[in-house]
Amino acid sequence: MMYISINNKLFLQEDANISVADLSIQRGYGIFDFLKTINNKSIFIQDYFNRFYHSAKEMNLEVELNREQLHEAILKLIEKNNIPNSGIKIILTGGFSEDGYTMVKPNLIIIQTPLNIIETETKTGVALVSYNHQRQIPQVKTIDYLQAIRLQKFVKENGADDLLYHNNGKVRECPRANFFIVTNSEIITAKNEVLNGITRKKILSLEIPGYTFSERDFTVDEVYDAKEAFISSSTKNAFPVNKVDGKLIGDGKSIITRLINDNLLKLIELDQNN
Amino acid sequence: MMYISINNKLFLQEDANISVADLSIQRGYGIFDFLKTINNKSIFIQDYFNRFYHSAKEMNLEVELNREQLHEAILKLIEKNNIPNSGIKIILTGGFSEDGYTMVKPNLIIIQTPLNIIETETKTGVALVSYNHQRQIPQVKTIDYLQAIRLQKFVKENGADDLLYHNNGKVRECPRANFFIVTNSEIITAKNEVLNGITRKKILSLEIPGYTFSERDFTVDEVYDAKEAFISSSTKNAFPVNKVDGKLIGDGKSIITRLINDNLLKLIELDQNN
């Protein structure tokens, strides 16, 4: 049996319902964050909390729980559900609005799901298809995935696993991951108009001999010509991209990507034992 | 007691809940439409159905009910609730997604609310504040109101009633209404990248002696210099805008706006008796 926390009360999954008056249903209004647990330990939780409270503030949503209380609510859920390796999604919506428009007291929903680590590890890389779209309010982790979900069919039709958004040729990110390319001496990721990924930040803090990290605009053509490309996210860490728009990227060995991923796993292990 | 229809079953308002697994809550994924009833008669219902089924198709959402069945579901609600003058909101979400991302069988929610006609009539006009924002997938009536709701505070701080979106100076629309200006001989509204409002369409079908209708781009400066400005929506019909960015528009008499509104009311009356 799985429990879900709604406004700091636990409900069985099948009873975890909210009124259709909620502004997420009425107006797509909400933010969220997503962190993982390994052996029941939340990884980089303060980083995720920083982003979550920042998103809430930017969207004028008040979080009823402070950090300690939110952490306790998560620990309660972890204890109750007993899913050692999991994803924890914290959603904050606009609340039950009487007129379906005016913002009211937010609803806080915490959902824990098993994290399938094996699935990722059996794949050697993902194929992306580029699409011209700039996410609105990009540095806030809103629940807006209209384009990503609408385009699920388009992704499949293009033989790809996911989208790579660009803004008129300037590469941005994937719907649920940041995106990097590797050249002979640079590891490059977009600086502006993308989500401030926690894994992205951890990667930028690494030292990779012979390479410098650059946060700057780059084009889809630069992606095609890159030595390597990879995505970064809480669930995938640093994961190779082997194709973009049907074109193979580099020689497929992903040596730097794997080096970055190994370093990342060490940081995660450190936090896990902290 | 008020009833709400969920997947063609009636629930008391307080029991009208859906699972937090719904893609509207998880990913802001859904479309809707909104029509009104006068004396229990739905106005321009086929126009609203055209747009609703179009939105659903564009977002790859399947509507389980055909037009006749949807109409019956609405009639059932009208009969049960007995609110002669009402707004009827039809929401279609991405459904209960197991992984919180993949689109599944949509949920159809129909909500009826009393329409407060008097509130509108006691005001002489609305004040707008302009804001640089282009709605994504503009011709589809999605539930995405992230900017509109986030900016409620900004609107108040600017002494305004609502937003006027422009795309780098090119005027688009309000969050819940189309927008028109009147010059000496033209009645102008944006052609592209705005919602295909039903009231907008009805207005464009009118004949106003001495004036031609133009669907084209126009600038915020043209708004400041206009003789009149007005918004159009299902609830407000054609309603004067008396201020934009604190600047008074025209002489405040709104003669053409009122003429258009009168013509619109005649069309509504015709449909009502049809």
Side-chain angles (χ1 to χ4, degrees):
Chain A
M1 281 190 302
M2 186 94 80
Y3 288 85
I4 287 173
S5 168
I6 302 178
N7 295 327
N8 213 9
K9 285 192 191 103
L10 292 178
F11 294 85
L12 274 170
Q13 186 171 20
E14 56 263 37
D15 301 324
N17 304 319
I18 63 169
S19 164
V20 296
D22 190 82
L23 272 187
S24 58
I25 303 163
Q26 296 279 331
R27 303 288 176 178
Y29 202 78
I31 59 149
F32 76 108
D33 224 301
F34 183 88
L35 55 95
K36 68 183 167 193
T37 68
I38 301 179
N39 291 328
N40 285 321
K41 166 80 164 65
S42 303
I43 304 301
F44 305 139
I45 192 161
Q46 291 309 326
D47 292 293
Y48 289 95
F49 280 1
N50 286 344
R51 187 171 62 184
F52 179 71
Y53 283 93
H54 170 77
S55 295
K57 197 177 161 221
E58 288 291 315
M59 301 305 281
N60 298 318
L61 290 164
E62 211 181 307
V63 192
E64 220 187 357
L65 305 184
N66 65 28
R67 281 170 181 246
E68 289 71 35
Q69 292 165 329
L70 183 57
H71 199 167
E72 272 167 36
I74 291 172
L75 289 174
K76 215 159 59 176
L77 203 64
I78 289 174
E79 201 192 314
K80 197 87 179 167
N81 284 334
N82 191 28
I83 314 169
N85 300 319
S86 73
I88 290 180
K89 193 169 186 177
I90 315 165
I91 304 175
L92 190 70
T93 73
F96 302 132
S97 179
E98 214 165 292
D99 65 359
Y101 198 69
T102 310
M103 223 190 306
V104 285
K105 192 170 162 287
N107 286 313
L108 180 71
I109 303 160
I110 312 175
I111 302 172
Q112 191 180 22
T113 45
L115 207 62
N116 195 341
I117 293 166
I118 297 145
E119 188 204 347
T120 302
E121 284 175 351
T122 53
K123 282 194 96 169
T124 57
V126 291
L128 304 178
V129 56
S130 65
Y131 190 85
N132 190 1
H133 172 60
Q134 173 61 55
R135 282 179 50 244
Q136 62 181 327
I137 326 173
Q139 300 194 348
V140 173
K141 203 166 171 72
T142 73
I143 59 168
D144 169 22
Y145 286 73
L146 275 180
Q147 294 283 13
I149 291 171
R150 181 174 78 94
L151 295 168
Q152 283 174 356
K153 220 173 124 182
F154 168 83
V155 169
K156 263 193 203 158
E157 284 166 0
N158 281 275
D161 301 301
D162 212 340
L163 295 161
L164 176 61
Y165 292 142
H166 64 89
N167 182 347
N168 293 310
K170 286 180 279 186
V171 174
R172 294 293 179 240
E173 61 197 320
C174 301
R176 296 177 292 175
N178 287 112
F179 179 81
F180 290 75
I181 57 170
V182 181
T183 68
N184 280 325
S185 60
E186 259 190 312
I187 301 160
I188 313 168
T189 193
K191 183 187 178 73
N192 295 316
E193 303 184 332
V194 294
L195 189 75
N196 292 320
I198 308 301
T199 308
R200 173 185 181 279
K201 191 178 82 172
K202 298 294 173 191
I203 290 171
L204 291 174
S205 77
L206 298 174
E207 290 196 11
I208 306 294
Y211 289 85
T212 53
F213 284 101
S214 302
E215 293 176 80
R216 64 163 169 90
D217 281 344
F218 59 100
T219 65
V220 178
D221 281 333
E222 283 179 83
V223 176
Y224 299 154
D225 292 339
K227 300 284 173 198
E228 297 181 26
F230 64 91
I231 56 170
S232 73
S233 81
S234 308
T235 48
K236 307 245 187 207
N237 300 317
F239 195 75
V241 172
N242 52 20
K243 266 188 196 175
V244 174
D245 297 336
K247 295 173 179 67
L248 284 168
I249 306 297
D251 61 7
K253 289 183 188 153
S254 305
I255 291 170
I256 301 302
T257 302
R258 286 173 209 286
L259 180 62
I260 288 170
N261 195 56
D262 289 344
N263 277 282
L264 204 50
L265 293 178
K266 276 178 209 155
L267 286 184
I268 291 168
E269 212 185 313
L270 269 175
D271 192 76
Q272 206 182 324
N273 300 322
N274 194 8
Chain B
M1 279 189 304
M2 186 95 80
Y3 287 87
I4 287 172
S5 168
I6 302 178
N7 295 326
N8 212 9
K9 286 193 192 101
L10 293 178
F11 295 86
L12 273 170
Q13 186 171 18
E14 57 262 37
D15 300 325
N17 304 318
I18 64 170
S19 164
V20 296
D22 191 83
L23 273 187
S24 59
I25 302 163
Q26 296 278 331
R27 302 289 176 178
Y29 202 78
I31 59 149
F32 76 108
D33 224 300
F34 183 88
L35 55 95
K36 67 184 167 193
T37 68
I38 301 179
N39 291 327
N40 285 320
K41 167 79 164 66
S42 303
I43 304 300
F44 304 139
I45 193 161
Q46 291 308 326
D47 293 292
Y48 288 95
F49 280 2
N50 285 344
R51 186 170 64 184
F52 179 71
Y53 283 93
H54 171 76
S55 295
K57 198 179 160 218
E58 287 292 315
M59 300 306 281
N60 298 318
L61 291 164
E62 211 181 308
V63 192
E64 219 188 356
L65 305 185
N66 64 29
R67 281 170 181 246
E68 287 72 36
Q69 290 165 330
L70 183 57
H71 200 168
E72 271 167 36
I74 291 172
L75 289 174
K76 214 158 62 176
L77 203 63
I78 289 175
E79 201 192 314
K80 197 86 179 169
N81 283 334
N82 191 28
I83 315 168
N85 299 319
S86 74
I88 290 181
K89 193 170 186 176
I90 314 165
I91 303 175
L92 190 70
T93 74
F96 303 132
S97 178
E98 214 165 292
D99 64 359
Y101 198 69
T102 310
M103 222 191 306
V104 284
K105 191 171 162 289
N107 286 313
L108 180 72
I109 303 160
I110 312 175
I111 302 172
Q112 191 179 22
T113 46
L115 208 61
N116 194 342
I117 292 167
I118 296 144
E119 189 203 347
T120 302
E121 283 175 352
T122 54
K123 283 195 95 170
T124 56
V126 291
L128 304 178
V129 55
S130 66
Y131 191 85
N132 190 1
H133 172 58
Q134 173 61 57
R135 283 178 52 245
Q136 61 181 326
I137 327 173
Q139 301 195 347
V140 173
K141 202 166 171 74
T142 73
I143 59 169
D144 169 21
Y145 286 74
L146 275 180
Q147 295 283 12
I149 290 171
R150 180 175 79 96
L151 295 168
Q152 283 173 358
K153 219 173 124 183
F154 168 83
V155 168
K156 263 193 203 158
E157 283 166 1
N158 280 274
D161 302 300
D162 212 341
L163 295 161
L164 176 62
Y165 292 142
H166 63 88
N167 183 346
N168 294 310
K170 285 180 279 184
V171 174
R172 294 292 180 242
E173 60 196 322
C174 300
R176 297 177 292 175
N178 288 111
F179 179 81
F180 290 75
I181 56 171
V182 181
T183 67
N184 279 325
S185 59
E186 259 190 313
I187 302 161
I188 313 169
T189 193
K191 184 187 177 74
N192 295 316
E193 302 184 333
V194 295
L195 188 74
N196 293 319
I198 307 302
T199 308
R200 173 184 181 278
K201 192 178 82 172
K202 298 295 172 189
I203 290 170
L204 292 174
S205 78
L206 297 175
E207 291 198 9
I208 306 295
Y211 289 86
T212 53
F213 283 101
S214 302
E215 292 178 80
R216 63 164 171 90
D217 280 344
F218 58 100
T219 66
V220 178
D221 281 331
E222 282 179 86
V223 176
Y224 298 154
D225 292 338
K227 299 287 172 196
E228 299 181 25
F230 64 92
I231 55 170
S232 73
S233 80
S234 307
T235 48
K236 307 247 186 205
N237 300 317
F239 196 75
V241 172
N242 51 20
K243 267 189 196 173
V244 175
D245 297 336
K247 294 174 180 67
L248 284 169
I249 306 298
D251 61 8
K253 288 185 190 150
S254 304
I255 291 169
I256 300 301
T257 301
R258 285 175 210 286
L259 179 63
I260 288 170
N261 195 57
D262 288 344
N263 276 281
L264 205 49
L265 293 178
K266 275 178 210 156
L267 285 183
I268 291 168
E269 212 184 314
L270 269 175
D271 193 75
Q272 207 182 324
N273 299 322
N274 193 9

